[in-house]
Amino acid sequence: MNQNKLGNSDLKVSAIGFGGMSLKPANKSENQRILSEALDVGINYFDTADLYDQGENEVLLGEALKSYRNAVCIATKVGNKWREDGSTWDWKASKSYILQAVEDSLKRLNTDYIDLYQLHGGTIEDPIDEIIEAFETLKSQGKIREYGISSIRPNVIKEYLSKSKLTSIMMQYSLLDRRPEEYFELIDQHHVSVISRGAVAQGLLIDKPAKTYLSYVENEVKQAQKIVHDFAKQQEVSAQSVSLAYVLAHSTVASAVVGIRTTEQMKDLSKTIQELDNLSAHELLELSSAFKTIQYADHR
């Protein structure tokens, strides 16, 4: 599988990334099989967060990837702190908290360093300069290699692009959610990469029943499903392959993260990776012309 340079960094990430959020600690043997197959098909980018399963997702990935540590890129996220009773979490974006939280993530991941440490959200009211200082401190200490943000808020994204040396921005992006495209040129100008999530739009572009999604009403989603499936049939590939190929056709996108929960989903993704091919300029235009461009309404 192709590997792409992440922003201006030395990190190279597989075009398809592995989203570990849905893996469950109780399914230890199945999780190991899933992750082993992901490695076998060339996936080297694995994404988690300290929020997932109250940190247990980091433990799971750290244990499973321990033997491959030097060959993989581990990304995790920070900024959400679970309450003592485990009932919910609070937003905790401060320098002191980030410097504390990274130590816990390093222990859970059983590693000396994190390849990509990401702010798990963010608001314009955050102490952004202080947060950037925290990431730069961790980078200078060798505890993280690079840092980024996971955000779909344009005002937040612009602040970090203008003030920091971040490497990546994780954004929800698909044929049904083309909002990030408005900012690709700006992101490119800062030599930053996008890591996409949600390329199949909650499964709506593959096999889930049509429903209202963002500004699309149910009938529009049904039409979108038909367009993708007809295109896939014409190309003799899967709808998932078409969905991922569209996202990856934009050079701003370094990796498209796919959430995997079961061995069956991993088998489907393995097949998709084998048939995944670059879209021609004509095919890209054909697909993009069939889907309306929508823009972020909030946080501008």
Side-chain angles (χ1 to χ4, degrees):
M1 189 194 314
N2 289 341
Q3 290 189 358
N4 300 314
K5 195 167 179 283
L6 195 64
N8 238 358
S9 75
D10 293 329
L11 295 180
K12 287 191 175 181
V13 296
S14 49
I16 302 298
F18 188 101
M21 181 176 70
S22 299
L23 295 175
K24 297 303 177 187
N27 301 331
K28 187 174 179 180
S29 59
E30 182 179 17
N31 291 337
Q32 189 62 63
R33 286 195 298 272
I34 292 170
L35 290 164
S36 293
E37 184 165 352
L39 290 160
D40 287 343
V41 296
I43 292 176
N44 82 329
Y45 179 83
F46 295 86
D47 184 86
T48 182
D50 60 5
L51 180 69
Y52 304 156
D53 286 327
Q54 297 183 334
E56 286 303 308
N57 197 257
E58 289 183 322
V59 174
L60 187 160
L61 276 180
E63 182 178 344
L65 298 174
K66 184 178 179 181
S67 301
Y68 309 93
R69 183 64 190 97
N70 294 330
V72 296
C73 179
I74 296 178
T76 191
K77 307 181 197 76
V78 65
N80 295 289
K81 183 180 182 180
W82 280 97
R83 293 182 181 174
E84 293 276 332
D85 61 6
S87 61
T88 188
W89 59 86
D90 299 305
W91 182 238
K92 192 84 172 176
S94 68
K95 181 176 180 178
S96 59
Y97 179 70
I98 291 170
L99 295 179
Q100 166 201 328
V102 74
E103 301 297 340
D104 295 329
S105 285
L106 287 167
K107 287 176 185 175
R108 287 191 292 260
L109 288 164
N110 193 19
T111 184
D112 296 326
Y113 66 95
I114 294 164
D115 295 285
L116 181 65
Y117 203 35
Q118 301 159 102
L119 186 67
H120 202 173
T123 72
I124 202 66
E125 290 80 25
D126 291 338
I128 292 175
D129 292 336
E130 181 182 311
I131 292 169
I132 294 169
E133 282 180 17
F135 284 129
E136 288 291 346
T137 296
L138 293 176
K139 193 173 176 182
S140 67
Q141 292 173 344
K143 293 178 180 179
I144 67 172
R145 293 180 66 186
E146 301 294 341
Y147 63 91
I149 61 172
S150 176
S151 178
I152 58 170
R153 295 183 172 188
N155 56 358
V156 172
I157 290 168
K158 288 176 184 177
E159 281 292 292
Y160 280 93
L161 286 174
S162 65
K163 291 184 172 183
S164 76
K165 296 178 181 176
L166 82 167
T167 292
S168 63
I169 303 169
M170 177 173 269
M171 307 173 79
Q172 177 175 293
Y173 179 44
S174 71
L175 276 163
L176 281 174
D177 186 0
R178 297 178 59 196
R179 293 176 297 177
E181 291 177 10
E182 180 185 359
Y183 296 95
F184 279 179
E185 185 177 352
L186 176 64
I187 293 169
D188 281 341
Q189 288 171 2
H190 286 84
H191 307 291
V192 171
S193 290
V194 165
I195 297 170
S196 79
R197 59 179 177 82
V200 296
Q202 299 176 355
L204 291 174
L205 292 173
I206 302 179
D207 55 9
K208 291 289 169 50
K211 65 176 183 177
T212 299
Y213 186 78
L214 298 177
S215 64
Y216 287 86
V217 298
E218 185 176 328
N219 283 339
E220 290 178 314
V221 172
K222 285 182 180 178
Q223 181 61 24
Q225 291 173 330
K226 184 178 186 307
I227 291 168
V228 171
H229 282 267
D230 286 351
F231 190 92
K233 186 176 181 180
Q234 176 188 338
Q235 301 296 320
E236 299 182 336
V237 297
S238 67
Q240 182 171 242
S241 179
V242 172
S243 302
L244 288 167
Y246 176 80
V247 167
L248 291 167
H250 299 79
S251 59
T252 311
V253 179
S255 185
V257 171
V258 179
I260 298 295
R261 184 179 69 259
T262 66
T263 50
E264 193 60 38
Q265 288 176 339
M266 190 62 235
K267 286 178 182 176
D268 287 343
L269 182 59
S270 296
K271 182 181 177 183
T272 295
I273 289 170
Q274 290 167 8
E275 67 186 16
L276 192 63
D277 201 2
N278 295 331
L279 293 176
S280 68
H282 172 75
E283 290 167 339
L284 180 61
L285 180 61
E286 182 182 345
L287 273 174
S288 59
S289 298
F291 289 81
K292 63 185 179 184
T293 301
I294 57 177
Q295 295 180 328
Y296 294 112
D298 302 322
H299 309 290
R300 299 184 68 93

